[in-house]
Amino acid sequence: MLSLTMAAEIHSRPQTARPILLNKIEGHSDAVNAAVLIPKEDGVITVSEDRTIRVWLKRDSGQYWPSIYHTVSSPCSCMSYHHDSRRIFIGQDNGAVVEFLISEDFNKMNHVKTYPAHQNRVSDMVFSLESEWVVSTGHDKSVSWMCTQSGSMLGRHYFTAWASCLQYDHDTQHAFVGDYSGQITLLKLEKQTYSTITTLKGHEGSIATLWWDPVQRLLFSGASDHSVIMWDIGGRKGRTLLLQGHHDRVQAIRYLQLTRQLVSCSADGGMAVWNMDTQREEAPQWLDSDSCQKCEQPFFWNIKQMWDTKTMGLRQHHCRKCGNAVCGKCSSKRTTFPIMGFEFPVRVCDACFDTIKEEDRTPLATFHEGKHNIAHMDMDPSRGLMVTCGSDRIVKIWDVTQVVGCSLATGFSSR
């Protein structure tokens, strides 16, 4: 049995700048839905669909072994771990949130409370020590906030779709909630009440992950449309940046404020490191037209112009650089345009293609392979570590000092 739950140490050496796989932790019998690195410890906490919560500590052999193996009544869907108080909150498939207290030596875990947070699966959760609240989202289409001192429900707000992910500003008590309709709702939470501030719309698929940076007041979202969007909340001008470089659902993101880098991971194992410390441009809104805005040929629904000119209607496309509605003949070229977030070739009109210089195609992101499904990711920038997990039941620990935070190498201890 022990051989199934031990973790193999990987002895790989870098060839180029890329994440280095340090360890693989195996032993779960179902999908691992979340994994977090324990700060200042060689340890990882995992929660799984197999109903277990496990604390893995690195032994002298270099392998990770479970020091805590706790089984609960329902599959574990998410968690929120507060290291200073060693309190951990587990979201479950049955809608409950369970709080435990982990001992100082990470060898024991005691049950504290069970919160009846949702009527269906808990999708995400944040514990706020400042307000003593646990805020959570669920597949019952709601966000709830509960008092961790009394265990009572303080408030709940319902959406029109499954609430899928959550970020929370501890200072202002604002909650960002992403849902399956592709919207992000900003709420101001208070005891017994709340107010809806705004709704952010930009994704064409369900929101899978959010990250809030309270220093620069930037919100990042990843979605099933394979894209990442940066929302400049603090700028108050509605500025957004579109980042496209993934080929599958973006399921985990993390912004590194010190180095101005964004790390994103997708379901196919793709890892992207985006340079956000550079001048970027907003992608244009797509324009509507009944005919090509270059050659003026009618699109196929423009019956009147087709009849008047005795021509066949054409299919409408859009130039990613200028946003004009164009036909296929007038947009036959493809190019990358990283300054607008397009890291792989996209359609542009012939006129825009001619304006793009070779230096405009210089990548502003690097891409790497995690080689497993990534459903969740956590990072410890101070040590240059990242942990990924997913449906393949494997947890991977990475040294990412080569690809992030190169300018802060003195702040990292390479493992």
Side-chain angles (χ1 to χ4, degrees), residues 16-21 271 368-369 386 398-403:
T16 57
R18 59 181 176 83
I20 302 169
L21 182 60
M271 301 175 180
H368 313 277
E369 282 299 325
M386 177 171 72
W398 306 84
D399 178 344
V400 293
T401 53
Q402 291 188 20
V403 293

Side-chain angles (χ1 to χ4, degrees), residues 94-105:
N94 62 8
V97 170
V98 186
E99 180 186 354
F100 295 93
L101 181 64
I102 300 178
S103 63
E104 284 190 50
D105 60 5

Side-chain angles (χ1 to χ4, degrees), residues 384-403:
L385 294 178
M386 177 171 72
V387 62
T388 58
C389 63
S391 60
D392 62 355
R393 301 174 290 183
I394 296 173
V395 178
K396 293 185 178 183
I397 301 171
W398 306 84
D399 178 344
V400 293
T401 53
Q402 291 188 20
V403 293

Side-chain angles (χ1 to χ4, degrees), residues 312-354:
M312 291 291 291
L314 304 175
R315 184 181 174 190
Q316 176 182 261
H317 301 283
H318 285 92
C319 172
R320 301 309 193 267
K321 186 175 185 294
C322 67
N324 278 339
V326 290
C327 67
K329 186 178 179 181
C330 292
S331 58
S332 59
K333 306 288 178 56
R334 304 289 183 274
T335 183
T336 61
F337 197 50
I339 196 170
M340 278 190 181
F342 300 115
E343 291 287 341
F344 52 75
V346 292
R347 180 187 297 271
V348 293
C349 68
D350 295 351
C352 283
F353 184 85
D354 293 338

Side-chain angles (χ1 to χ4, degrees), residues 47 74-80 89-93 96-98 122 125:
V47 299
S74 180
C76 305
S77 52
C78 56
M79 73 168 139
S80 179
F89 296 79
I90 310 297
Q92 295 185 280
D93 188 64
V97 170
V98 186
V122 183
M125 177 176 39

Side-chain angles (χ1 to χ4, degrees), residues 190-250:
E190 299 176 51
K191 288 185 179 179
Q192 311 298 336
T193 186
Y194 66 91
S195 53
T196 302
I197 306 301
T198 190
T199 301
L200 306 176
K201 299 177 183 179
H203 283 288
E204 296 179 2
S206 58
I207 312 296
T209 180
L210 294 172
W211 182 266
W212 169 245
D213 175 54
V215 178
Q216 289 186 265
R217 302 194 66 75
L218 300 174
L219 179 70
F220 298 88
S221 56
S224 62
D225 60 7
H226 308 175
S227 68
V228 175
I229 294 179
M230 185 204 85
W231 312 81
D232 186 359
I233 304 297
R236 298 180 178 270
K237 293 181 179 179
R239 181 170 177 259
T240 61
L241 294 178
L242 177 67
L243 305 174
Q244 291 194 335
H246 286 284
H247 298 281
D248 206 339
R249 178 184 175 91
V250 181

